[in-house]
Amino acid sequence: MTENTGNETVLVTGASGKTGRQVAHAAGAAGFDVRAASRGGAVRFDWYDSSLWDEALRGADAAYLAYMPDIGAPGADDTIGAFARRALELGMRRLVLLSARGEVQAEPAELALRESGAEWTIVRATWFMQNLSEGLLLDGMRGGELVFPAGEVPAPFVDTRDIADVVVTALTDASYAGRTLEVTGARLLSFREAVAEISAAAGREIRYVPVSAKEYGGMLAEFGMPPEEVACMQEIFESLLDGHIEHPTDVVQQVLGRAPRDFTDFAREHAAQGVWKV
């Protein structure tokens, strides 16, 4: 991974999230002055509150953009475009956007960044390994089952630490400006196979229970997710989990000069940490 030698400041949005936390760590290790921004952090940031943007942006040289709740959500394109233009007005030069591989709903937001005038890189990632070790799905996994609308479709799961290393390389290496990088793991696993690997590593039975996107949307609503977000997520699951993104890429190898982290190693590492204990 290329190191930053100019004491530059990088703004990391969503710095408490799955990828933002890893990007902040990797950027710090690469020599950046990291400005970690989130709704509840020392640097406050909210995509839905533009009054917070200027304070987060001023004096920063580059930014990592992780849009919440999803890059394909309605209005994400307008917000990303407005943020990028404001960043340029305040002197920022580099923006790296996290997008979702194969998610057609993400295309408007990607286009908004490309047309903003910024020096951009788009990192399209496939399913995170860490979706199974933290966040919304973890409680179910600890309870002994993963209920998810993925059927038996395989995916090249990627470790968020690999995403972070690619992002930081894109921030430091100008040759990645104006490029879209599709980041995946090297091996295909269905969600059933992934859960089986975690079950073996954790030494306890965890079942995979496939459901329809509509059924899963109902579950999200029961968890308290707003109706408009439920509708967005249901549409994404219906269109994304159909097998059209099942092939791996070699982007991690090309960008970082090493193989991506393997799912088996991820499962063993996190099981040793007690992530899936009851």
Side-chain angles (χ1 to χ4, degrees):
M1 186 171 62
T2 307
E3 291 188 0
N4 169 50
T5 57
N7 295 319
E8 294 182 341
T9 297
V10 60
L11 168 66
V12 178
T13 67
S16 61
K18 292 186 185 75
T19 63
R21 188 171 67 253
Q22 300 297 344
V23 169
H25 175 77
F32 280 99
D33 179 11
V34 177
R35 186 174 297 172
S38 62
R39 287 179 178 176
V43 179
R44 292 187 60 216
F45 182 84
D46 190 330
W47 287 109
Y48 298 99
D49 186 355
S50 59
S51 69
L52 300 174
W53 293 358
D54 283 13
E55 184 176 352
L57 284 166
R58 280 198 179 94
D61 302 287
Y64 169 66
L65 312 184
Y67 188 84
M68 294 295 292
D70 187 90
I71 191 64
D77 53 337
D78 291 337
T79 305
I80 292 291
F83 180 85
R85 290 188 294 273
R86 186 57 182 156
L88 289 173
E89 290 170 356
L90 293 176
M92 184 173 287
R93 58 180 182 82
R94 289 284 287 122
L95 298 174
V96 177
L97 173 69
L98 177 68
S99 189
R101 186 178 185 227
E103 187 176 314
V104 296
Q105 295 87 351
E107 292 174 3
E110 292 183 3
L111 181 61
L113 179 62
R114 290 192 188 100
E115 294 181 341
S116 68
E119 184 181 301
W120 58 268
T121 302
I122 293 168
V123 175
R124 290 180 183 156
T126 188
W127 294 100
F128 306 159
M129 296 179 189
Q130 281 77 4
N131 284 336
L132 302 178
S133 64
E134 56 187 273
L136 184 63
L137 302 180
L138 180 56
D139 284 346
M141 297 282 286
R142 285 176 172 164
E145 65 179 22
L146 171 67
V147 180
F148 201 66
E152 305 300 332
V153 175
F157 287 86
V158 66
D159 195 301
T160 55
R161 291 169 292 187
D162 289 338
I163 297 171
D165 287 346
V166 170
V167 166
V168 172
T169 300
L171 286 168
T172 54
D173 187 337
S175 70
Y176 292 103
R179 294 176 59 181
T180 298
L181 306 173
E182 297 204 354
V183 181
T184 78
R187 184 161 61 99
L188 289 172
L189 287 170
S190 68
F191 277 76
R192 187 182 301 279
E193 291 168 333
V195 170
E197 289 215 13
I198 289 172
S199 184
R204 56 184 295 258
E205 182 182 5
I206 304 174
R207 300 184 306 122
Y208 169 61
V209 182
V211 295
S212 69
K214 184 176 182 180
E215 289 173 307
Y216 193 70
M219 294 169 58
L220 294 176
E222 290 179 3
F223 281 124
M225 183 176 285
E228 61 276 10
E229 291 186 21
V230 170
C232 170
M233 297 308 298
Q234 184 174 317
E235 179 185 356
I236 288 170
F237 289 138
E238 287 173 341
S239 61
L240 190 58
L241 292 165
D242 61 2
H244 74 281
I245 58 168
E246 65 182 28
H247 57 285
T249 73
D250 61 354
V251 167
V252 170
Q253 181 70 53
Q254 289 183 0
V255 174
L256 303 179
R258 62 164 176 80
R261 291 174 172 86
D262 185 70
F263 192 92
T264 300
D265 295 333
F266 157 82
R268 290 172 178 169
E269 175 189 355
H270 286 74
Q273 296 169 1
V275 168
W276 296 292
K277 285 184 177 179
V278 180

